[in-house]
Every structure is written in C-alpha cells, then in structure tokens.
Amino acid sequence: MKRILLGAGLGMAAALALSAPAQAAKTLVYCSEGSPENFNPMLNTTGTSFDVALPVYNNLVQFEHGGTKVVPGLAESWTISDDGLVYTFKLRAGAKWHSVGDFKPTRDANADDVIFSFERQWKTDHPFHKVSGGAYDYFNDMAMPKLLKSIEKVDDLTVRFTLNAVEAPFLANLAMPFAPIMSAEYAAMLQKKGTPEKLDQVPVGTGPFQFVAYQKDAVIRYKAFEQFWGGRQPLDNLVFAITPDAAVRLAKLKAGECQVMPYPNPADIDAMKKDGSIVVQEQEGLNVGYVSFNVTKKPFDDVRVRRAVSMAMDKKAMVAAVYQAAGVPAKNPIPPTMWSYNTAIEDYPYDVERAKKLLADAGYPNGFETDLWAMPVQRPYNPNAKRIAEMMQADLAKVGIKAKIVQYEWGEYRKRMQQGEHQMGMLGWTGDNGDPDNFLYTLLGCEAARQGGNNLSKWCNKEFDDLVVQAKRTTDIAARTKLYEQSQVIFKEEAPWYTIAHSVVYMGLAKNVVGYKMDPFGIHRFEGVDLK
C-alpha cells in the first residue's frame, strides 16, 4: 500500500496532490476529527470509525441521503411475511466489487457475500469470527445472535432472513453501519494467503468510493469507483485529513486546505456564520452526552451515591460554559426530538446539601475518592470533555468527593470503558436509526451489560429490561411509546447515568461544496457531493 508522506512545510493542498493533474481532478478534503480503529464497521461503535467505512461499503438497505427513511441498498426490494418473522431480500444485479492490490474480483456481489457478512458476526465457528479481535459490539448488544433463526440463500440474488421473534426496528437496524456487505471472494483470498486481518484494514466494497491508502493519524485517500451501481461520483478523489484540534480544522477550512469540517468549537460558531467564505449547516442532534456510573464498583453500587453525585454537579453551568448556545441540559437517555421522550420526568436538582445528606445516609459522610474518565476527542454530544471533567471535579470537591481525571487515547479509552475499568466515565451516543430501541436497549439493556458491551454502567435492571424487550417485540407505535416512557422513569430513579446534554450539531463547509447534507445520525456521507 503506497504511503503518503506529508512534508512539514507543505500546505495540505500540495501535500495531497494526486497523480492526475491537479487542475483536472476534483478533490474534496474532509478535515476529520480522529483516526479510525480500523476500516470494518462491524467491529466498531464510534462515528469516527464509521465515517471511514461509509465511502467503501453498501448495506442491504440504507437510509435516504440526509434522512431516516429506509431505502434500497444492495437489496433493490424486499418482502416481509404476514407474521413479521421472514424477510426476503432481492439483490440488485450487476453490483461490482472494488479491486485493491492483487485482488481482482471475478464476480458481482451476490447472496454468498450477504451470508458471509452476517455469519462472520453471528457464528462463533466462522473462520473470520475471531479475526481482529472479533468484538461485534453492535451485533451482540442488539441481541442479533438470539434474534436470528436462519439466513438462507434462495438463489444468487435472493436471501431469506428468518427471525425467532418479531423485531420492530429490524429493517432500520440493517441500515446501520454495523451491517456492511463484504466480499466473500476477497476474504477467501486473504485467508488462503494467511492475512485475514487485511479484510478489516484494506477494505473492499461495492460503494461509491474505492480505498487507496491510509497513513495512520495523518490522511486517508479514496478515489471514485468507476463501476459503482449508483453511478459514477462527481468527485474524483475524497481525502480525509485527520485533524483532531477544532481550531486547526477551522484554520484549514479558512485557508482552503479542506472543504468540510465537523465539530467546530461552540465559541467559533458565530464568527463562522459571519464569514462570507464559509457555509454553516446546523441541526438538532439525535444524541446525548453522559457520565456512566459503574454500578459493579463501590461506591456506585449504591443508588443513593449515584443520586447524590447527580445532585452535586451543576449541569446548567456546565452546559452554559462548554456547549453555550449549542446544547440543552439532558434529563433522559434519549433526545427530546425522539418519539416516546418522557416530558413528565423531572431531573435531579443541583442541591449540594441534599447531596451531602444522601452521601451520609449511604455511609460516606466525608465523601470518597473516585476516578472520572474524560474523552480525549471532541464529539457532537461533548465538545470539551476535559473542561467538563474539571468543572465536575470542582463541584464534587464541595461534597467531599475527590475525583481524579483519567484520559487515554480514543480507541483505548473506549475499549477500557466497555470492559468496565472506570468508576465514573464520560461518553455519549448519537442515534443510528431513529428508534428509541437504539438508545434504551443498545446502551442500557441487560444484553449489553456484558464485559465489552455498550452498557458502560453494567447496569442490569430486570423491570427496565423487560419493558424495552417488550417494546422491541411490538409493532404498534402507541404501545411502544408507553413502554419506553415507563422505562425512562425507572432509568431516572435508578440513575445509572448522569445525563449531561443534547447538542445542536454544526458543520462548516466551503462555499463551493454542493450537495452535502447533514446526517441525522451524526455520520458524514459524501455520495453525490460535488465542488463548483
């Protein structure tokens, strides 16, 4: 794989010059906020790693550009049985695979690829199941192994999924990044060569852009796939310039070194809106930022302590200082824009004296020592975790709690949090499919409380879990709404999280960018985007 060397004195435009004449090629540079863990979204749960896979892969179904409606992907149509248990997908003919290195596909995408892609995550004896660590967090946290009864090849272009139970959000789930269709032929070649891990590092898909090269922590390059089933892209080249600092991303946007930048500092947004060279897009985020209390570790195994800590921290001050006009205080685990949001729930008040009394009742009249993990990256649900951690630390000191701030590199941070190493830890979530199940079951259900799961608090409450599982098995929206509203009451009473904020999401674009639409799920797509 050809490495790209960045000269220290070169501007990004020059450093990313491609072999084609610069004036002839349309190259869009996206200033991304972080480095990917790998290029296989089956293995990841972060938007950063999803973003790098989206140009390459297709799912069976996908969300419409900029919306939440499920539309055809590699499956051009599908039918659902009357009992809601059998989904039959008709694949589109002629969907071509990318070529990379010494891999040249000999056939188009077919049912074998679909079965390979799902069985890798599902079947523990699958030859690729344990490759690259084999942690399929989304697949497992959504209880897909229990849900799936069979996946069958009807013919080369027809696949039948049979479920063990009705699953209301099933189609929307299949449109999520964790369910890409990968080439079984490419996997077989890599396995024969003894390098199966390359499937996750050098991606081959059927998507609009073809992977070219990755220089760790610096740059990712793609080129338009000439045989893409959806039509050749207006852009010739797509470049991810990895730029963790928001101020640097903005400077690059102003200098013309990138054309799209995510996650600006809230303090910069007003100035960006007044800058004639920049277009600012915004939308209410389908997200929540929170602190996870690890209920398997003392003293957070005591609900009185969790409630006390929730009352000891001044949420409104944090949101005003860090999010500014780009956020609202959160009281529920789902955002207020999502159906079934329980407006009747009251948040814990900021009340130092009540917090002290609760701590004394729990046996900690003088407080205690704890860690407080702070994310090392900017996310839409938390633009400055270190600053919030410092404000929390100061608030907690007033009730005798000594909090030590902990940080790790992003991939390591997420991994350790999922293993449950923290006592208190910050993270957040941006919805993947517009369904409350994606928050309440995936992040708080008992299935996800396993070590390595997305239930970071390792909180398993049977009453809560029964409600959200029942909601999954119900197709009536009114009935589902009541179940989710009840589950939010239990969540608030048990306080496995300290909910911080829901944010408004902003994107900065150069004025010559055409066709870019913000995604409601917080990921960044470049299909159909052009430069004037």
Side-chain angles (χ1 to χ4, degrees):
M1 191 166 63
K2 182 179 177 183
R3 292 176 63 86
I4 304 168
L5 302 178
L6 300 182
L10 295 178
M12 183 61 70
L16 297 173
L18 302 170
S19 57
Q23 67 274 18
K26 283 187 179 181
T27 299
L28 184 143
V29 180
Y30 168 62
C31 276
S32 66
E33 79 287 353
S35 298
E37 295 153 282
N38 51 58
F39 288 82
N40 183 351
M42 297 177 182
L43 301 167
N44 306 314
T45 61
T46 66
T48 304
S49 292
F50 288 160
D51 282 347
V52 303
L54 289 172
V56 175
Y57 292 114
N58 293 121
N59 290 24
L60 282 174
V61 294
Q62 56 199 41
F63 294 110
E64 65 180 348
H65 193 36
T68 60
K69 180 183 177 183
V70 175
V71 298
L74 278 182
E76 62 182 7
S77 64
W78 56 88
T79 58
I80 306 171
S81 63
D82 291 341
D83 61 6
L85 296 177
V86 181
Y87 290 70
T88 304
F89 295 92
K90 187 68 177 177
L91 308 182
R92 65 179 69 247
K96 306 295 184 186
W97 290 104
H98 305 161
S99 299
V100 66
D102 57 356
F103 174 68
K104 302 293 186 289
T106 64
R107 61 169 177 78
D108 298 339
N110 67 23
D112 294 330
D113 303 307
V114 176
I115 292 172
F116 167 84
S117 300
F118 281 93
E119 288 195 343
R120 173 183 176 172
Q121 301 186 72
W122 181 23
K123 304 287 189 180
T124 56
D125 59 351
H126 190 278
F128 273 79
H129 185 74
K130 295 180 181 178
V131 172
S132 303
Y136 307 102
D137 294 327
Y138 262 108
F139 192 84
N140 291 317
D141 290 354
M142 295 164 66
M144 291 289 280
K146 293 181 180 177
L147 177 66
L148 293 173
K149 183 176 182 179
S150 65
I151 305 176
E152 302 165 280
K153 175 181 178 180
V154 179
D155 57 46
D156 275 354
L157 294 178
T158 311
V159 184
R160 180 188 298 127
F161 286 66
T162 303
L163 311 184
N164 284 309
V166 172
E167 177 83 354
F170 183 66
L171 264 184
N173 289 347
L174 294 187
M176 289 164 51
F178 84 94
I181 305 305
M182 296 185 170
S183 168
E185 184 183 22
Y186 179 46
M189 186 202 81
L190 294 174
Q191 187 178 25
K192 187 175 181 180
K193 293 178 66 174
T195 56
E197 68 284 351
K198 282 192 176 181
L199 186 68
D200 308 322
Q201 299 165 358
V202 185
V204 166
T206 56
F209 291 94
Q210 183 169 336
F211 176 80
V212 175
Y214 171 43
Q215 182 182 346
K216 186 173 172 55
D217 299 329
V219 66
I220 308 168
R221 294 174 60 198
Y222 307 87
K223 64 181 181 180
F225 181 42
E226 300 291 343
Q227 296 176 292
F228 175 50
W229 57 265
R232 207 271 196 195
Q233 294 301 294
L235 297 173
D236 299 298
N237 305 293
L238 174 63
V239 176
F240 281 39
I242 298 167
T243 314
D245 189 279
V248 178
R249 291 199 296 274
L250 179 56
K252 287 182 176 181
L253 180 65
K254 288 182 175 181
E257 295 181 359
C258 68
Q259 288 74 47
V260 181
M261 69 155 288
Y263 317 132
N265 285 321
D268 292 332
I269 290 167
D270 282 343
M272 289 174 64
K273 288 180 176 179
K274 294 173 184 175
D275 189 322
S277 68
I278 296 174
V279 173
V280 178
Q281 294 186 359
E282 65 181 271
Q283 68 179 15
E284 288 192 64
L286 201 69
N287 61 41
V288 62
Y290 63 87
V291 175
S292 159
F293 300 129
N294 189 337
V295 303
T296 68
K297 290 189 174 183
K298 289 186 176 298
F300 297 103
D301 58 338
D302 191 323
V303 69
R304 293 170 295 182
V305 171
R306 302 196 296 269
R307 291 170 179 168
V309 171
S310 297
M311 292 182 185
M313 300 188 292
D314 189 347
K315 184 179 301 185
K316 289 182 179 178
M318 282 184 271
V319 173
V322 176
Y323 294 80
Q324 300 181 31
V328 295
K331 64 179 182 180
N332 291 335
I334 64 175
T337 53
M338 180 168 275
W339 62 272
S340 81
Y341 179 85
N342 193 331
T343 57
I345 287 174
E346 293 187 9
D347 203 2
Y348 290 104
Y350 172 52
D351 191 327
V352 173
E353 295 309 313
R354 283 177 66 184
K356 287 179 178 178
K357 184 178 185 308
L358 274 172
L359 287 174
D361 291 345
Y364 300 95
N366 301 313
F368 53 85
E369 294 184 1
T370 182
D371 58 40
L372 174 56
W373 291 35
M375 298 175 348
V377 297
Q378 272 190 314
R379 302 302 298 156
Y381 48 72
N382 192 329
N384 192 335
K386 181 69 180 298
R387 175 67 179 129
I388 289 181
E390 291 167 349
M391 295 182 74
M392 289 180 171
Q393 185 183 52
D395 284 344
L396 292 173
K398 296 173 186 175
V399 296
I401 298 173
K402 297 178 181 178
K404 178 184 177 182
I405 297 173
V406 175
Q407 284 193 303
Y408 292 98
E409 177 272 330
W410 181 222
E412 189 71 12
Y413 180 93
R414 187 184 65 81
K415 177 182 175 183
R416 288 173 177 262
M417 284 273 287
Q418 288 182 252
Q419 293 298 324
E421 294 185 18
H422 62 293
Q423 287 174 284
M424 294 174 63
M426 271 187 247
L427 210 67
W429 192 259
T430 298
D432 298 291
N433 62 11
D435 196 290
D437 173 80
N438 184 242
F439 284 78
L440 298 173
Y441 185 80
T442 305
L443 302 181
L444 293 160
C446 290
E447 193 74 33
R450 61 188 171 79
Q451 191 176 43
N454 279 311
N455 184 338
L456 304 178
S457 295
K458 309 307 173 192
W459 175 71
C460 177
N461 179 284
K462 187 177 186 306
E463 187 180 1
F464 175 94
D465 200 64
D466 286 348
L467 288 168
V468 295
V469 170
Q470 186 180 347
K472 287 165 71 73
R473 305 290 178 248
T474 305
T475 55
D476 180 75
I477 291 294
R480 295 186 76 203
T481 296
K482 288 181 181 179
L483 293 166
Y484 287 137
E485 287 175 345
Q486 293 172 41
S487 73
Q488 290 167 72
V489 172
I490 297 169
F491 166 86
K492 205 64 192 178
E493 289 173 348
E494 289 293 308
W497 293 356
Y498 174 75
T499 49
I500 304 171
H502 309 289
S503 74
V504 177
V505 182
Y506 293 90
M507 290 289 294
L509 283 72
K511 290 194 75 173
N512 65 331
V513 176
V514 178
Y516 183 86
K517 294 181 181 179
M518 292 187 71
D519 189 281
F521 308 123
I523 47 185
H524 304 97
R525 300 178 183 273
F526 296 94
E527 184 177 344
V529 176
D530 198 358
L531 295 172
K532 289 182 185 176

